[in-house]
Amino acid sequence: MLSARSLFQEILDNDEAFRLFCSIAAGGEAQGGWENGRIAALVPASERELAPKISRHGADEDKHGRIFNALLKKRGLEPVAVPPETDYTMLLERRGIGLAHEKLKADRPLTVRDVITYLAHSRVTEQRACEQMLMLRKYFADHPDVGRAVLVISRDEDNHLAYTHEELLRFAAAGQARFIHTTLRECALAEIRIHRDVSLAVMARMARILGWSAARSALLAAGIHAMYAYERLVGWRRMVTLEMPRRRNALGGPATPAPEVA
Ligand SMILES: [Fe+2]
Ligand SMILES: [Fe+2]
């Protein structure tokens, strides 16, 4: 059977596949954590109230990175180097989406537009993260090894997405609607391509590790291309809408610790 559930079950059941999966996930989370930490440090004076929320956002992503590493450790596995073609966060940055690392490494304060760019990038990528975690939560919330980690990360990603909606709406009301719209659109269209490319690259690696047949790999690749075609046609629009979230100020307050998660 070919379903998201059976695919992920196969990955969970194989040490090498699980190791690659967790290493890629941990790498992306840690990079997100670093980026947000730098953005929080460089927030312009006019947006100072946002800094603790950006720090919290970064602290959550760092925590997710630690959770994935802890899952590996629990199974007696060492992380592996993330293959560049599977490095979603790095590929987005290279494509000029979000804020350039060069800018984040410098010590000059960001502009308001930079902050909006960060929020728009997060609006799009957190949507992806939420959907992926929702899928994992649907099938693996009760899994003895990964269930708790999946629930904690999923709840955090929901908060991140809510926060980006709320803050972008605030900037839109302050006269930035046009810039927000353009940035979101550009970001979403780039993200869906990179998501497709990374999915194909991860799948090719998993196919090798798990010894999938050529027919199975071809079917999966076709599924990824079909998903991209759908997202390019209409699906991307779900990533650029803004709606006031039910949960306001989702990142107000300190990060929730996750001691017993993994
Ligand atoms: Fe995360
Ligand atoms: Fe997140």
Side-chain angles (χ1 to χ4, degrees):
M1 196 184 66
L2 194 64
S3 66
R5 181 190 194 144
S6 64
L7 279 180
F8 199 73
Q9 188 66 55
E10 256 187 84
I11 292 171
L12 268 178
D13 290 344
N14 178 287
D15 275 352
E16 209 190 323
F18 187 68
R19 182 156 92 133
L20 180 63
F21 172 81
C22 287
S23 301
I24 292 172
E29 300 280 7
Q31 193 179 323
W34 176 82
E35 287 173 359
N36 292 352
R38 288 303 300 153
I39 294 165
L42 299 175
V43 158
S46 63
E47 302 303 326
R48 214 177 299 130
E49 318 88 88
L50 208 54
K53 297 182 195 178
I54 304 173
S55 295
R56 159 79 190 274
H57 187 191
D60 281 352
E61 304 301 5
D62 279 334
K63 181 181 81 183
H64 301 167
R66 290 198 303 276
I67 291 174
F68 282 113
N69 280 318
L71 289 174
L72 284 175
K73 200 168 165 200
K74 194 162 93 173
R75 205 150 141 180
L77 300 169
E78 290 285 326
V80 284
V82 176
E85 74 277 15
T86 68
D87 196 334
Y88 170 80
T89 320
M90 185 203 70
L91 289 168
L92 280 170
E93 198 259 340
R94 288 238 179 108
R95 172 69 182 65
I97 297 303
L99 298 177
H101 282 187
E102 219 172 286
K103 200 174 241 181
L104 299 182
K105 283 179 191 151
D107 271 319
R108 280 183 307 277
L110 299 172
T111 64
V112 169
R113 287 206 158 184
D114 288 333
V115 174
I116 294 173
T117 300
Y118 143 73
L119 286 168
H121 167 262
S122 300
R123 156 74 186 89
V124 170
T125 55
E126 294 295 344
Q127 170 105 32
R128 183 72 72 188
C130 281
E131 290 171 358
Q132 291 186 327
M133 292 316 297
L134 201 65
M135 185 272 288
L136 291 179
R137 197 163 84 190
K138 192 166 143 199
Y139 301 125
F140 299 99
D142 295 324
H143 191 280
D145 296 326
V146 301
R148 178 107 185 93
V150 163
L151 285 173
V152 167
I153 297 174
S154 178
R155 193 187 54 213
D156 286 347
E157 307 299 13
D158 290 346
N159 283 339
H160 300 167
L161 185 59
Y163 146 80
T164 62
H165 276 267
E166 186 176 351
E167 298 300 335
L168 282 171
L169 281 171
R170 184 173 60 79
F171 279 112
Q176 299 279 6
R178 211 184 172 82
F179 179 67
I180 292 171
H181 182 74
T182 318
T183 312
L184 278 173
R185 185 177 191 277
E186 187 192 2
C187 191
L189 292 176
E191 196 278 345
I192 59 172
R193 292 183 71 135
I194 288 170
H195 175 69
R196 174 198 62 190
D197 296 345
V198 166
S199 301
L200 289 169
V202 171
M203 197 226 32
R205 298 227 165 215
M206 291 299 178
R208 247 172 283 152
I209 295 172
L210 297 165
W212 291 344
S213 67
R216 189 168 197 213
S217 291
L219 197 57
L220 272 167
I224 294 168
H225 284 292
M227 178 65 174
Y228 173 72
Y230 163 76
E231 291 199 325
R232 183 64 191 84
L233 202 62
V234 283
W236 68 275
R237 293 181 190 276
R238 79 188 188 286
M239 302 179 131
V240 301
T241 54
L242 292 177
E243 208 179 308
M244 191 50 88
R246 243 178 300 152
R247 175 148 193 225
R248 305 278 179 95
N249 196 24
L251 293 187
T256 45
E260 78 294 18
V261 162

